[in-house]
Amino acid sequence: FDGDVYPNEPMSRHTTYRIGGPARFFVRVNSVGALTGLVDVCATEGVPWVAVGRGSNVLVADGGFAGVVVALGRDFRTTRFEDGRFLAGAGASLSSVVQDAFRRNLGGFEFAVGTPGTIGGALRMNAGSRDEWISSRVVTVTTYRPGRGLMRLRGDDIAWGYRTSSFAPDEVILECELAAEEADPFVVRDKMEANLARRQQSQPLSEPTCGSVFKNPEGASVGRLIDELGLKGTACGGACISPLHGNFIVNRGGATAADVRTLMDHVRARVQEAHGIDLAYEVRL
Ligand code: EPU
């Protein structure tokens, strides 16, 4: 088997939140063959399984996951540049593409500077800023789905939305082609620096978080709503609503998933009460 198997692996080691109970099996697959073999067996045997990237947009329960967590290793981590496009493995980091584009005098990825996570994760959730998304760069995506096999999709044939995509829950993203365009490196650098400076100022980037907790409701900023309700700084156990940005809940050390859930429930109830808005989760629970 071309991979590594870790039984009862704490997911707190594999999430940016540093939270999460054990996965029954955490398996790092290093090749497409290992991945397809593993998920096919899980699917036919009825074993719950889930693919993860860098764990930067998930809150794993304290009880862990009673199944197989699949992480993408070696062969999925490469990126190449060919004919004006990046060919990126789903397990490569988004930031490696952002930096590589800059080095090659290419533009189009400045919005993603400082965004953690893998290419696969970024595609599944259509990562981006408020109004620029990774989907606008996608030429093709190769996926695998047990029972359906390998598929090569054109970016235009995928339904993309604000932090959503039309990939099936059991469809694993393997790699993609991303379009880049020639750009003035000084302009690219200025955009990257401005984006990063703005985020460093307004988001707790160096603390363990899952990024934004909720999606912005139509026409509103959930961070501002939470701020206006005076909820920043509210704590529960080791978790705290960031004093820097209302839509971030940080792990100040030893936070449990239950601590974070308590704060999430509190925020949702307060926003519902004050504005009649039912907040949708941006983080995957
Ligand atoms: N604001 C406050 N108080 C706060 C937080 C924000 O008043 O505590 C105000 C800001 O001053 C600003 C407005 O709310 O006027 C919007 O805030 P911000 O610019 O920080 O953007 P956001 O809508 O909160 C979105 C994305 C971020 C992305 C930033 C920057 C969502 C849910 N969040 O945040 O994405 O980094 O724009 O482009 O769409 C993520 O998806 O994990 C994420 C961090």
Side-chain angles (χ1 to χ4, degrees):
F1 178 72
D2 192 7
D4 310 287
V5 180
Y6 304 87
N8 298 318
E9 174 71 4
M11 285 304 293
S12 53
R13 291 187 190 157
H14 303 280
T15 59
T16 54
Y17 236 146
R18 301 275 166 256
I19 292 174
R24 182 68 193 90
F25 292 102
F26 182 90
V27 183
R28 188 175 302 111
V29 291
N30 288 326
S31 62
V32 173
L35 170 84
T36 58
L38 176 66
V39 299
D40 281 352
V41 168
C42 290
T44 45
E45 300 296 323
V47 177
W49 64 276
V50 65
V52 294
R54 247 199 87 214
S56 57
N57 193 53
V58 287
L59 176 62
V60 178
D62 297 315
F65 181 71
V68 177
V69 173
V70 186
L72 304 180
R74 195 192 59 222
D75 291 358
F76 298 96
R77 295 191 178 167
T78 56
T79 59
R80 282 202 315 278
F81 185 73
E82 242 175 62
D83 302 329
R85 292 168 183 182
F86 287 99
L87 275 100
S93 71
L94 176 57
S95 64
S96 68
V97 174
V98 175
Q99 296 304 330
D100 200 13
F102 174 57
R103 273 195 299 270
R104 293 172 187 278
N105 294 350
L106 297 168
F109 295 94
E110 301 88 312
F111 72 88
V113 68
T115 305
T118 58
I119 291 287
L123 292 184
R124 180 165 284 278
M125 64 173 292
N126 195 8
S129 61
R130 276 175 90 88
D131 35 37
E132 271 186 287
W133 308 333
I134 187 84
S135 53
S136 64
R137 300 272 128 216
V138 175
V139 184
T140 65
V141 183
T142 307
T143 66
Y144 182 79
R145 205 174 165 191
R148 298 267 186 106
L150 286 169
M151 283 173 282
R152 191 139 194 257
L153 312 165
R154 291 187 335 126
D156 294 344
D157 294 334
I158 299 162
W160 305 97
Y162 166 55
R163 299 294 192 272
T164 64
S165 66
S166 53
F167 299 108
D170 65 345
E171 188 169 6
V172 185
I173 297 170
L174 306 182
E175 64 171 17
C176 69
E177 284 179 281
L178 301 169
E181 63 228 15
E182 278 180 31
D184 179 339
F186 292 100
V187 174
V188 172
R189 188 198 57 193
D190 287 353
K191 278 197 209 165
M192 285 170 70
E193 281 181 355
N195 283 345
L196 194 60
R198 189 161 47 82
R199 293 191 42 207
Q200 275 168 340
Q201 231 170 34
S202 64
Q203 300 179 359
L205 294 188
S206 58
E207 289 177 87
T209 73
C210 63
S212 295
V213 173
F214 300 106
K215 293 187 191 185
N216 282 327
E218 191 80 39
S221 160
V222 64
R224 179 182 294 145
L225 297 181
I226 294 166
D227 195 351
E228 285 167 359
L229 288 168
L231 296 174
K232 283 159 86 170
T234 309
C236 174
C240 177
I241 300 175
S242 169
L244 210 52
H245 195 299
N247 198 20
F248 283 70
I249 296 178
V250 300
N251 175 2
R252 293 192 302 190
T256 61
D259 293 337
V260 177
R261 289 302 288 257
T262 302
L263 289 176
M264 289 174 170
D265 289 346
H266 181 59
V267 168
R268 292 191 81 223
R270 291 293 308 277
V271 171
Q272 175 62 249
E273 180 187 276
H275 300 283
I277 295 173
D278 202 12
L279 288 179
Y281 288 103
E282 206 256 60
V283 58
R284 218 167 133 194
L285 300 171

